[in-house]
Structure formats: C-alpha cells, structure tokens
Amino acid sequence: MSLRLQLNDYRLTTAEILYRLPDHPTLLQTYIWQELDLAPSYPQLRRFLDFWTRSLEGQLHSVRVAQQALIGPPALRHASACLTLH
C-alpha cells in the first residue's frame, strides 16, 4: 500500500458486493473488494463497478462500503482482565 496515497487522504476501502447468480437469479452471492480509495467519490470502486456491469453476467443487487484510515494516532486500550494459565 502506498504511503503517498495514504498521506493524500486515501483510505483502505472494503466493499461487500451482493450480486445475482446468472443461472439462478433468485440466489445472491457475495464478493468482497478491497483497495485504497478516496471517499466520498470512491473513484476506484466506481471504476470496478462500471467494469462489473459492462463485462460480467451477475447483476448487482447491493453494495455496502466501509473504510478505515491506515495512518492515524495510536490507540491505547486498557485490559479489563488479566488471566494466567498454568
């Protein structure tokens, strides 16, 4: 992953794509797509979905998008329990 892109506000973007199976249109299949992309326009994801609709037979049902900044302040969490195994 490119540090330069991350410094230019690109974030790790994950899309859960539900699509209909060509031979069984009542069944849905899941495809997970993940790439560095720029919110809120998501040019990489839009390019991929355009390719999908032009080239693949499975009709898109829905797309759910999540993103996570890879560069950020460190997080500190306190342990709620300490267990020892013997």
Side-chain angles (χ1 to χ4, degrees):
M1 292 184 207
S2 172
L3 179 60
R4 182 175 49 85
L5 287 175
Q6 292 176 52
L7 292 174
N8 287 321
D9 234 11
Y10 279 72
R11 301 292 178 246
L12 181 63
T13 304
T14 304
E16 178 188 35
I17 301 167
L18 289 177
Y19 64 96
R20 298 189 184 281
L21 293 175
D23 295 340
H24 304 282
T26 57
L27 297 178
L28 294 176
Q29 181 76 23
T30 301
Y31 180 82
I32 302 296
W33 176 90
Q34 196 170 55
E35 190 73 46
L36 285 177
D37 210 351
L38 186 60
S41 60
Y42 299 111
Q44 300 291 339
L45 177 58
R46 287 182 184 273
R47 193 172 302 122
F48 177 75
L49 293 175
D50 287 343
F51 163 77
W52 184 297
T53 54
R54 276 191 330 271
S55 305
L56 302 178
E57 293 182 22
Q59 180 186 10
L60 295 175
H61 176 270
S62 61
V63 178
R64 188 166 53 171
V65 179
Q67 71 170 4
Q68 174 65 42
L70 297 179
I71 297 177
L76 177 64
R77 296 184 342 185
H78 295 281
S80 61
C82 181
L83 305 172
T84 305
L85 295 175
H86 295 280

Coordinates of all heavy atoms in Angstrom, one line a residue:
M1 N 0.8 -1.2 0.0 CA 0.0 0.0 0.0 C 0.9 1.2 0.0 O 1.9 1.3 0.7 CB -0.9 0.0 1.2 CG -2.0 -1.1 1.1 SD -3.1 -1.0 2.5 CE -3.5 -2.6 2.6
S2 N 0.5 2.2 -0.8 CA 1.3 3.3 -1.0 C 1.2 4.4 0.1 O 0.0 4.9 0.4 CB 1.0 4.0 -2.3 OG 1.7 5.2 -2.5
L3 N 2.3 4.7 0.8 CA 2.2 5.7 1.8 C 1.8 7.1 1.2 O 1.1 7.8 1.9 CB 3.6 5.8 2.5 CG 3.7 6.8 3.6 CD1 2.7 6.5 4.7 CD2 5.1 6.8 4.2
R4 N 2.3 7.3 0.0 CA 1.9 8.6 -0.6 C 0.4 8.7 -0.8 O -0.1 9.8 -0.5 CB 2.6 8.7 -2.0 CG 2.4 10.0 -2.7 CD 3.2 10.1 -4.0 NE 3.1 8.9 -4.8 CZ 2.1 8.7 -5.7 NH1 1.2 9.6 -5.9 NH2 2.1 7.6 -6.4
L5 N -0.3 7.7 -1.2 CA -1.7 7.7 -1.3 C -2.4 8.0 0.0 O -3.3 8.7 0.1 CB -2.2 6.5 -2.0 CG -2.0 6.3 -3.5 CD1 -2.5 4.9 -3.9 CD2 -2.6 7.4 -4.3
Q6 N -1.9 7.3 1.0 CA -2.5 7.4 2.4 C -2.3 8.8 2.9 O -3.2 9.4 3.5 CB -1.8 6.4 3.3 CG -2.2 5.0 3.0 CD -1.5 4.0 3.9 OE1 -1.5 4.2 5.1 NE2 -0.8 3.1 3.3
L7 N -1.2 9.5 2.6 CA -1.0 10.8 3.0 C -1.8 11.8 2.2 O -2.1 12.9 2.7 CB 0.5 11.2 2.9 CG 1.5 10.5 3.8 CD1 2.9 10.8 3.5 CD2 1.1 10.8 5.3
N8 N -2.3 11.4 1.1 CA -3.2 12.2 0.3 C -4.7 11.8 0.5 O -5.6 12.0 -0.3 CB -2.9 12.1 -1.2 CG -1.7 12.8 -1.6 OD1 -1.4 13.9 -1.1 ND2 -0.9 12.2 -2.4
D9 N -5.0 11.3 1.7 CA -6.3 11.0 2.2 C -7.0 9.8 1.6 O -8.2 9.6 1.8 CB -7.2 12.2 2.0 CG -7.9 12.6 3.3 OD1 -7.5 12.1 4.4 OD2 -8.8 13.5 3.3
Y10 N -6.3 8.9 0.9 CA -6.8 7.7 0.5 C -6.9 6.7 1.7 O -6.1 6.8 2.6 CB -6.0 7.0 -0.6 CG -6.2 7.5 -1.9 CD1 -5.8 8.8 -2.3 CD2 -6.9 6.8 -2.9 CE1 -6.0 9.3 -3.6 CE2 -7.1 7.3 -4.2 CZ -6.6 8.6 -4.5 OH -6.8 9.0 -5.7
R11 N -8.0 6.0 1.8 CA -8.2 5.1 2.9 C -8.5 3.6 2.4 O -9.0 3.5 1.3 CB -9.4 5.5 3.7 CG -9.3 6.9 4.3 CD -8.2 6.9 5.4 NE -8.0 8.2 5.9 CZ -6.9 8.9 5.8 NH1 -5.9 8.5 5.1 NH2 -6.8 10.1 6.4
L12 N -8.2 2.7 3.2 CA -8.5 1.3 2.9 C -10.0 1.2 2.8 O -10.7 1.4 3.8 CB -7.9 0.3 3.9 CG -8.1 -1.1 3.6 CD1 -7.5 -1.5 2.3 CD2 -7.6 -2.0 4.8
T13 N -10.5 0.8 1.7 CA -11.9 0.8 1.4 C -12.3 -0.7 1.1 O -11.7 -1.4 0.3 CB -12.3 1.6 0.2 OG1 -11.9 3.0 0.5 CG2 -13.8 1.6 0.0
T14 N -13.3 -1.2 1.8 CA -13.8 -2.5 1.6 C -15.3 -2.4 1.2 O -16.1 -1.7 1.8 CB -13.7 -3.3 2.9 OG1 -12.4 -3.3 3.4 CG2 -14.2 -4.8 2.7
A15 N -15.6 -3.1 0.1 CA -17.0 -3.2 -0.4 C -17.5 -4.6 -0.4 O -16.8 -5.5 -0.9 CB -17.1 -2.6 -1.8
E16 N -18.6 -4.8 0.2 CA -19.3 -6.1 0.1 C -20.3 -6.0 -1.0 O -21.3 -5.2 -0.9 CB -20.0 -6.4 1.5 CG -20.8 -7.7 1.4 CD -21.6 -7.9 2.7 OE1 -22.1 -7.0 3.2 OE2 -21.7 -9.1 3.1
I17 N -20.1 -6.7 -2.0 CA -21.0 -6.6 -3.2 C -21.8 -7.9 -3.3 O -21.3 -9.0 -3.3 CB -20.1 -6.6 -4.5 CG1 -19.2 -5.3 -4.4 CG2 -21.0 -6.6 -5.7 CD1 -18.1 -5.3 -5.5
L18 N -23.1 -7.7 -3.3 CA -24.1 -8.8 -3.4 C -24.6 -8.7 -4.9 O -24.9 -7.7 -5.4 CB -25.3 -8.6 -2.5 CG -25.0 -8.9 -1.0 CD1 -26.3 -8.6 -0.2 CD2 -24.6 -10.3 -0.8
Y19 N -24.5 -9.9 -5.5 CA -25.0 -10.0 -6.9 C -25.8 -11.2 -7.1 O -25.7 -12.2 -6.4 CB -23.8 -9.9 -7.9 CG -22.8 -11.1 -7.8 CD1 -22.9 -12.2 -8.6 CD2 -21.8 -11.1 -6.8 CE1 -22.1 -13.2 -8.6 CE2 -20.9 -12.2 -6.7 CZ -21.1 -13.2 -7.6 OH -20.2 -14.3 -7.5
R20 N -26.6 -11.2 -8.2 CA -27.4 -12.3 -8.5 C -26.7 -13.3 -9.4 O -25.9 -12.9 -10.3 CB -28.7 -11.9 -9.2 CG -29.5 -11.0 -8.4 CD -30.9 -10.7 -9.0 NE -31.6 -9.8 -8.2 CZ -32.3 -10.1 -7.1 NH1 -32.3 -11.3 -6.7 NH2 -33.0 -9.1 -6.4
L21 N -26.8 -14.6 -9.1 CA -26.2 -15.6 -9.9 C -26.8 -15.6 -11.3 O -28.1 -15.7 -11.4 CB -26.2 -17.0 -9.3 CG -25.5 -17.1 -8.0 CD1 -25.7 -18.5 -7.4 CD2 -24.0 -17.0 -8.2
P22 N -26.1 -15.7 -12.4 CA -26.7 -15.6 -13.7 C -27.6 -16.8 -14.0 O -28.7 -16.6 -14.6 CB -25.5 -15.7 -14.7 CG -24.3 -15.2 -13.9 CD -24.6 -15.6 -12.5
D23 N -27.3 -18.0 -13.6 CA -28.1 -19.2 -13.8 C -29.3 -19.3 -12.8 O -30.2 -20.0 -13.1 CB -27.3 -20.4 -13.8 CG -26.2 -20.5 -14.9 OD1 -26.4 -19.7 -15.9 OD2 -25.3 -21.2 -14.8
H24 N -29.1 -18.7 -11.7 CA -30.2 -18.8 -10.6 C -30.4 -17.4 -10.0 O -29.9 -17.0 -9.0 CB -29.7 -19.7 -9.5 CG -29.4 -21.1 -10.0 ND1 -30.4 -22.0 -10.3 CD2 -28.2 -21.7 -10.3 CE1 -29.8 -23.1 -10.7 NE2 -28.5 -23.0 -10.7
P25 N -31.1 -16.5 -10.7 CA -31.3 -15.1 -10.3 C -32.0 -14.9 -9.0 O -31.9 -13.8 -8.4 CB -32.1 -14.5 -11.5 CG -32.6 -15.6 -12.3 CD -31.8 -16.8 -12.0
T26 N -32.6 -15.9 -8.4 CA -33.2 -15.7 -7.1 C -32.1 -15.9 -6.0 O -32.4 -15.6 -4.8 CB -34.3 -16.7 -6.8 OG1 -33.8 -18.1 -7.0 CG2 -35.4 -16.5 -7.8
L27 N -30.9 -16.4 -6.3 CA -29.9 -16.6 -5.3 C -28.9 -15.4 -5.4 O -28.5 -15.0 -6.5 CB -29.1 -17.9 -5.6 CG -29.9 -19.2 -5.4 CD1 -29.1 -20.4 -5.8 CD2 -30.5 -19.3 -4.0
L28 N -28.4 -15.0 -4.2 CA -27.4 -14.0 -4.1 C -26.0 -14.5 -3.7 O -26.0 -15.5 -2.9 CB -27.8 -12.9 -3.1 CG -29.1 -12.1 -3.4 CD1 -29.4 -11.2 -2.2 CD2 -28.9 -11.3 -4.7
Q29 N -25.0 -14.0 -4.3 CA -23.6 -14.4 -4.0 C -22.9 -13.1 -3.5 O -23.2 -12.0 -3.9 CB -22.9 -14.9 -5.2 CG -21.5 -15.3 -5.1 CD -21.4 -16.7 -4.4 OE1 -22.3 -17.5 -4.4 NE2 -20.3 -16.9 -3.8
T30 N -21.9 -13.3 -2.6 CA -21.1 -12.2 -2.1 C -19.7 -12.1 -2.7 O -19.1 -13.2 -2.8 CB -21.0 -12.3 -0.5 OG1 -22.3 -12.4 0.0 CG2 -20.2 -11.2 0.1
Y31 N -19.3 -10.9 -3.0 CA -17.9 -10.7 -3.4 C -17.4 -9.6 -2.6 O -18.0 -8.5 -2.4 CB -17.9 -10.3 -4.9 CG -16.5 -10.1 -5.5 CD1 -15.7 -11.1 -5.8 CD2 -16.0 -8.8 -5.6 CE1 -14.4 -10.9 -6.3 CE2 -14.7 -8.6 -6.0 CZ -13.9 -9.6 -6.4 OH -12.7 -9.4 -6.9
I32 N -16.1 -9.7 -2.0 CA -15.5 -8.7 -1.2 C -14.4 -8.1 -2.1 O -13.5 -8.7 -2.6 CB -14.9 -9.3 0.1 CG1 -16.0 -10.0 0.9 CG2 -14.2 -8.2 0.9 CD1 -17.1 -9.1 1.4
W33 N -14.5 -6.7 -2.2 CA -13.5 -5.9 -2.9 C -12.8 -5.0 -1.9 O -13.4 -4.5 -1.0 CB -14.2 -5.1 -4.0 CG -13.4 -4.2 -4.7 CD1 -12.7 -4.4 -5.9 CD2 -13.1 -2.8 -4.4 NE1 -12.1 -3.3 -6.3 CE2 -12.3 -2.3 -5.4 CE3 -13.5 -2.0 -3.4 CZ2 -11.8 -1.0 -5.4 CZ3 -13.0 -0.7 -3.4 CH2 -12.2 -0.2 -4.4
Q34 N -11.5 -4.9 -2.0 CA -10.7 -4.1 -1.1 C -9.6 -3.4 -1.8 O -8.8 -4.0 -2.6 CB -10.1 -4.9 0.0 CG -9.7 -4.2 1.2 CD -9.4 -5.1 2.4 OE1 -8.6 -6.0 2.3 NE2 -10.0 -4.8 3.5
E35 N -9.5 -2.1 -1.6 CA -8.5 -1.3 -2.3 C -8.3 0.1 -1.6 O -9.2 0.5 -0.8 CB -9.0 -1.0 -3.7 CG -8.0 -0.4 -4.7 CD -6.9 -1.4 -5.1 OE1 -7.2 -2.5 -5.4 OE2 -5.7 -1.0 -5.0
L36 N -7.2 0.8 -1.8 CA -7.1 2.1 -1.3 C -8.0 3.0 -2.2 O -7.9 2.9 -3.4 CB -5.7 2.6 -1.4 CG -4.7 2.1 -0.3 CD1 -3.3 2.6 -0.5 CD2 -5.2 2.4 1.1
D37 N -8.9 3.8 -1.6 CA -9.8 4.7 -2.4 C -10.0 6.0 -1.7 O -9.7 6.1 -0.5 CB -11.1 3.9 -2.7 CG -11.7 4.3 -4.0 OD1 -11.2 5.3 -4.6 OD2 -12.7 3.7 -4.4
L38 N -10.6 6.9 -2.4 CA -10.8 8.3 -1.9 C -12.3 8.5 -1.6 O -13.1 8.6 -2.6 CB -10.2 9.3 -2.9 CG -10.2 10.7 -2.5 CD1 -9.3 10.9 -1.2 CD2 -9.6 11.6 -3.6
A39 N -12.7 8.7 -0.4 CA -14.1 9.0 -0.1 C -14.3 10.5 -0.3 O -13.4 11.3 -0.1 CB -14.4 8.6 1.4
P40 N -15.5 10.9 -0.5 CA -16.8 10.1 -0.7 C -17.0 9.7 -2.2 O -18.0 9.1 -2.5 CB -17.8 11.1 -0.2 CG -17.3 12.4 -0.6 CD -15.8 12.3 -0.5
S41 N -16.1 10.1 -3.1 CA -16.4 9.8 -4.5 C -16.1 8.4 -4.9 O -16.7 7.8 -5.8 CB -15.7 10.8 -5.4 OG -14.3 10.6 -5.2
Y42 N -15.1 7.7 -4.2 CA -14.7 6.3 -4.4 C -14.5 6.1 -5.9 O -15.1 5.2 -6.5 CB -15.8 5.4 -3.9 CG -16.0 5.5 -2.4 CD1 -17.2 6.0 -1.9 CD2 -15.0 5.1 -1.5 CE1 -17.4 6.1 -0.6 CE2 -15.2 5.2 -0.2 CZ -16.4 5.7 0.3 OH -16.6 5.8 1.7
P43 N -13.5 6.8 -6.5 CA -13.2 6.5 -8.0 C -12.8 5.1 -8.3 O -13.2 4.6 -9.4 CB -12.1 7.6 -8.3 CG -11.5 7.9 -7.0 CD -12.6 7.7 -6.0
Q44 N -12.0 4.5 -7.5 CA -11.5 3.1 -7.8 C -12.7 2.1 -7.7 O -12.9 1.3 -8.6 CB -10.5 2.7 -6.8 CG -9.2 3.5 -6.8 CD -8.4 3.3 -8.1 OE1 -8.6 2.3 -8.8 NE2 -7.6 4.3 -8.3
L45 N -13.6 2.3 -6.7 CA -14.7 1.4 -6.6 C -15.7 1.6 -7.7 O -16.2 0.6 -8.3 CB -15.4 1.6 -5.2 CG -16.7 0.8 -5.0 CD1 -16.4 -0.7 -5.1 CD2 -17.3 1.1 -3.7
R46 N -15.9 2.9 -8.1 CA -16.8 3.1 -9.2 C -16.3 2.6 -10.5 O -17.0 2.0 -11.3 CB -17.0 4.7 -9.4 CG -17.9 5.2 -8.3 CD -18.1 6.7 -8.6 NE -18.8 7.3 -7.5 CZ -20.2 7.4 -7.5 NH1 -20.9 6.8 -8.4 NH2 -20.8 8.0 -6.4
R47 N -15.0 2.6 -10.7 CA -14.4 2.1 -11.9 C -14.6 0.5 -11.9 O -14.9 0.0 -13.0 CB -12.9 2.4 -11.9 CG -12.2 2.1 -13.3 CD -10.8 2.7 -13.3 NE -10.8 4.1 -13.1 CZ -10.1 4.7 -12.1 NH1 -9.3 4.0 -11.3 NH2 -10.1 6.0 -11.9
F48 N -14.4 -0.1 -10.8 CA -14.6 -1.5 -10.7 C -16.1 -1.9 -10.9 O -16.4 -2.9 -11.7 CB -14.2 -2.1 -9.3 CG -14.4 -3.5 -9.2 CD1 -13.6 -4.5 -9.8 CD2 -15.5 -4.0 -8.4 CE1 -13.8 -5.8 -9.6 CE2 -15.7 -5.3 -8.2 CZ -14.9 -6.3 -8.9
L49 N -17.0 -1.2 -10.4 CA -18.4 -1.5 -10.6 C -18.9 -1.2 -12.0 O -19.7 -2.0 -12.5 CB -19.3 -0.7 -9.6 CG -19.1 -1.1 -8.1 CD1 -19.9 -0.1 -7.2 CD2 -19.5 -2.5 -7.9
D50 N -18.3 -0.2 -12.7 CA -18.6 0.0 -14.1 C -18.1 -1.2 -14.9 O -18.7 -1.6 -15.8 CB -17.9 1.3 -14.6 CG -18.6 2.5 -14.0 OD1 -19.7 2.4 -13.6 OD2 -18.0 3.6 -14.1
F51 N -16.8 -1.7 -14.6 CA -16.3 -2.8 -15.3 C -17.2 -4.0 -15.1 O -17.5 -4.8 -16.0 CB -14.9 -3.2 -14.7 CG -14.5 -4.6 -15.1 CD1 -14.0 -4.9 -16.3 CD2 -14.5 -5.6 -14.1 CE1 -13.6 -6.2 -16.6 CE2 -14.1 -6.8 -14.4 CZ -13.7 -7.2 -15.7
W52 N -17.7 -4.2 -13.8 CA -18.6 -5.3 -13.5 C -19.9 -5.3 -14.3 O -20.2 -6.3 -14.9 CB -19.0 -5.2 -12.0 CG -19.8 -6.4 -11.5 CD1 -21.1 -6.7 -11.9 CD2 -19.4 -7.4 -10.5 NE1 -21.5 -7.8 -11.2 CE2 -20.5 -8.2 -10.4 CE3 -18.3 -7.5 -9.7 CZ2 -20.5 -9.3 -9.5 CZ3 -18.3 -8.6 -8.9 CH2 -19.4 -9.4 -8.7
T53 N -20.5 -4.1 -14.4 CA -21.8 -4.1 -15.1 C -21.6 -4.2 -16.6 O -22.4 -4.7 -17.3 CB -22.5 -2.7 -14.9 OG1 -21.7 -1.6 -15.1 CG2 -23.0 -2.7 -13.4
R54 N -20.4 -3.8 -17.2 CA -20.1 -3.9 -18.6 C -19.7 -5.4 -19.0 O -20.1 -5.9 -20.0 CB -19.0 -3.0 -19.0 CG -19.3 -1.6 -19.4 CD -18.2 -0.9 -20.0 NE -16.8 -1.3 -19.6 CZ -16.2 -0.8 -18.6 NH1 -16.7 0.1 -17.8 NH2 -14.9 -1.2 -18.3
S55 N -18.9 -6.0 -18.1 CA -18.2 -7.3 -18.5 C -18.7 -8.6 -17.9 O -18.5 -9.6 -18.4 CB -16.7 -7.1 -18.2 OG -16.2 -6.0 -18.8
L56 N -19.4 -8.5 -16.7 CA -19.7 -9.7 -16.0 C -21.3 -9.9 -16.1 O -22.0 -9.0 -16.2 CB -19.3 -9.6 -14.5 CG -17.8 -9.4 -14.3 CD1 -17.5 -9.3 -12.9 CD2 -17.0 -10.6 -15.0
E57 N -21.7 -11.2 -16.0 CA -23.1 -11.5 -16.1 C -23.9 -11.3 -14.8 O -25.1 -11.2 -14.9 CB -23.2 -13.0 -16.6 CG -22.7 -13.2 -18.0 CD -22.9 -14.6 -18.5 OE1 -23.7 -15.3 -17.9 OE2 -22.1 -15.0 -19.4
G58 N -23.3 -11.4 -13.7 CA -24.0 -11.3 -12.4 C -24.5 -9.9 -12.2 O -23.8 -9.0 -12.1
Q59 N -25.9 -9.8 -12.1 CA -26.5 -8.5 -11.9 C -26.3 -8.0 -10.5 O -26.5 -8.8 -9.5 CB -28.0 -8.5 -12.2 CG -28.7 -7.2 -12.0 CD -30.2 -7.4 -12.2 OE1 -30.7 -8.5 -12.2 NE2 -30.9 -6.3 -12.2
L60 N -25.8 -6.8 -10.3 CA -25.6 -6.2 -9.0 C -26.9 -6.1 -8.2 O -27.9 -5.6 -8.7 CB -24.9 -4.9 -9.0 CG -23.5 -4.9 -9.6 CD1 -23.0 -3.5 -9.8 CD2 -22.5 -5.7 -8.8
H61 N -26.9 -6.5 -6.9 CA -28.0 -6.3 -6.1 C -27.8 -5.2 -5.1 O -28.6 -4.3 -5.0 CB -28.2 -7.6 -5.3 CG -29.4 -7.5 -4.3 ND1 -29.2 -7.1 -3.0 CD2 -30.7 -7.8 -4.4 CE1 -30.3 -7.1 -2.4 NE2 -31.3 -7.5 -3.2
S62 N -26.7 -5.2 -4.4 CA -26.4 -4.1 -3.5 C -24.9 -4.0 -3.2 O -24.1 -5.0 -3.4 CB -27.1 -4.2 -2.2 OG -26.8 -5.5 -1.6
V63 N -24.4 -2.9 -2.7 CA -23.0 -2.7 -2.4 C -23.0 -2.0 -1.1 O -23.6 -0.9 -0.9 CB -22.3 -1.8 -3.5 CG1 -20.8 -1.6 -3.1 CG2 -22.4 -2.5 -4.8
R64 N -22.2 -2.5 -0.1 CA -22.0 -1.9 1.2 C -20.6 -1.6 1.3 O -19.7 -2.4 1.1 CB -22.5 -2.9 2.3 CG -22.5 -2.2 3.7 CD -23.2 -3.1 4.7 NE -22.7 -4.4 4.7 CZ -23.1 -5.3 5.6 NH1 -23.9 -5.0 6.6 NH2 -22.6 -6.5 5.6
V65 N -20.3 -0.3 1.7 CA -18.9 0.2 1.7 C -18.5 0.6 3.2 O -19.3 1.2 3.9 CB -18.8 1.4 0.8 CG1 -17.4 2.0 0.8 CG2 -19.2 1.1 -0.6
A66 N -17.3 0.2 3.5 CA -16.7 0.6 4.8 C -15.3 1.1 4.5 O -14.7 0.6 3.5 CB -16.7 -0.5 5.8
Q67 N -14.8 2.0 5.3 CA -13.4 2.4 5.1 C -12.7 2.6 6.4 O -13.3 2.8 7.5 CB -13.3 3.7 4.3 CG -13.8 4.9 5.0 CD -13.5 6.2 4.2 OE1 -13.0 6.1 3.1 NE2 -13.8 7.3 4.8
Q68 N -11.4 2.5 6.4 CA -10.5 2.6 7.6 C -9.3 3.4 7.3 O -8.6 3.1 6.3 CB -10.2 1.2 8.1 CG -9.2 1.2 9.3 CD -9.8 1.9 10.5 OE1 -11.0 1.7 10.9 NE2 -9.0 2.7 11.2
A69 N -9.0 4.4 8.1 CA -7.7 5.1 7.9 C -6.6 4.2 8.4 O -6.6 3.6 9.5 CB -7.7 6.4 8.7
L70 N -5.6 4.0 7.6 CA -4.4 3.2 8.0 C -3.4 4.0 8.8 O -2.7 3.4 9.6 CB -3.8 2.6 6.8 CG -4.7 1.7 5.9 CD1 -3.9 1.2 4.7 CD2 -5.1 0.5 6.8
I71 N -3.3 5.3 8.5 CA -2.4 6.1 9.3 C -3.3 6.9 10.3 O -4.2 7.6 9.9 CB -1.7 7.1 8.4 CG1 -0.8 6.3 7.4 CG2 -0.8 8.0 9.2 CD1 -0.1 7.1 6.4
G72 N -2.9 6.9 11.5 CA -3.7 7.6 12.5 C -3.0 7.6 13.8 O -1.9 7.0 14.0
P73 N -3.6 8.3 14.8 CA -2.9 8.3 16.1 C -3.0 6.9 16.7 O -3.9 6.2 16.5 CB -3.8 9.3 16.9 CG -5.1 9.4 16.2 CD -4.8 9.1 14.8
P74 N -2.0 6.6 17.5 CA -2.0 5.2 18.2 C -3.2 5.1 19.1 O -3.6 6.1 19.8 CB -0.7 5.1 18.9 CG -0.2 6.5 19.0 CD -0.8 7.3 17.9
A75 N -3.8 4.0 19.2 CA -4.9 3.7 20.1 C -4.3 3.0 21.4 O -3.5 2.1 21.2 CB -6.0 2.9 19.5
L76 N -4.8 3.4 22.5 CA -4.4 2.7 23.7 C -5.7 2.2 24.4 O -6.6 2.9 24.6 CB -3.7 3.7 24.7 CG -3.3 3.2 26.0 CD1 -2.3 2.2 25.9 CD2 -2.8 4.4 26.9
R77 N -5.6 0.9 24.7 CA -6.8 0.3 25.4 C -6.3 -0.4 26.6 O -5.2 -1.0 26.6 CB -7.4 -0.8 24.5 CG -8.1 -0.2 23.3 CD -8.8 -1.1 22.4 NE -8.5 -2.5 22.7 CZ -9.0 -3.5 22.0 NH1 -9.8 -3.3 21.0 NH2 -8.7 -4.8 22.2
H78 N -7.0 -0.3 27.7 CA -6.7 -0.9 29.0 C -7.3 -2.3 29.0 O -8.5 -2.5 28.6 CB -7.1 -0.1 30.2 CG -6.4 1.2 30.3 ND1 -5.2 1.4 30.8 CD2 -6.8 2.5 29.9 CE1 -4.8 2.6 30.7 NE2 -5.8 3.3 30.2
A79 N -6.6 -3.3 29.5 CA -7.1 -4.6 29.7 C -8.2 -4.6 30.8 O -8.0 -4.0 31.9 CB -6.0 -5.6 30.0
S80 N -9.3 -5.3 30.5 CA -10.3 -5.4 31.5 C -10.1 -6.6 32.4 O -10.8 -6.7 33.5 CB -11.7 -5.5 30.9 OG -11.8 -6.6 30.0
A81 N -9.2 -7.5 32.0 CA -9.0 -8.7 32.8 C -7.6 -9.2 32.6 O -7.0 -9.0 31.5 CB -10.0 -9.8 32.5
C82 N -7.0 -9.9 33.5 CA -5.7 -10.5 33.4 C -5.8 -11.9 33.8 O -6.1 -12.2 35.0 CB -4.6 -9.7 34.2 SG -3.0 -10.4 34.0
L83 N -5.6 -12.9 32.9 CA -5.8 -14.3 33.2 C -4.4 -15.0 33.1 O -3.6 -14.7 32.3 CB -6.8 -14.9 32.3 CG -8.2 -14.3 32.2 CD1 -9.0 -14.9 31.1 CD2 -8.9 -14.4 33.5
T84 N -4.2 -15.9 34.0 CA -3.0 -16.7 34.0 C -3.3 -18.2 33.8 O -4.1 -18.7 34.6 CB -2.2 -16.5 35.3 OG1 -2.0 -15.1 35.5 CG2 -0.9 -17.2 35.3
L85 N -2.7 -18.8 32.9 CA -2.9 -20.3 32.7 C -1.7 -21.0 33.2 O -0.6 -20.6 33.0 CB -3.1 -20.6 31.2 CG -4.4 -20.0 30.6 CD1 -4.4 -20.3 29.1 CD2 -5.6 -20.6 31.2
H86 N -1.9 -22.1 33.9 CA -0.8 -22.9 34.4 C -0.7 -24.2 33.7 O -1.5 -24.8 33.2 CB -0.9 -23.2 35.9 CG -0.9 -22.0 36.7 ND1 0.3 -21.4 37.1 CD2 -1.9 -21.2 37.2 CE1 0.0 -20.3 37.8 NE2 -1.3 -20.2 37.9

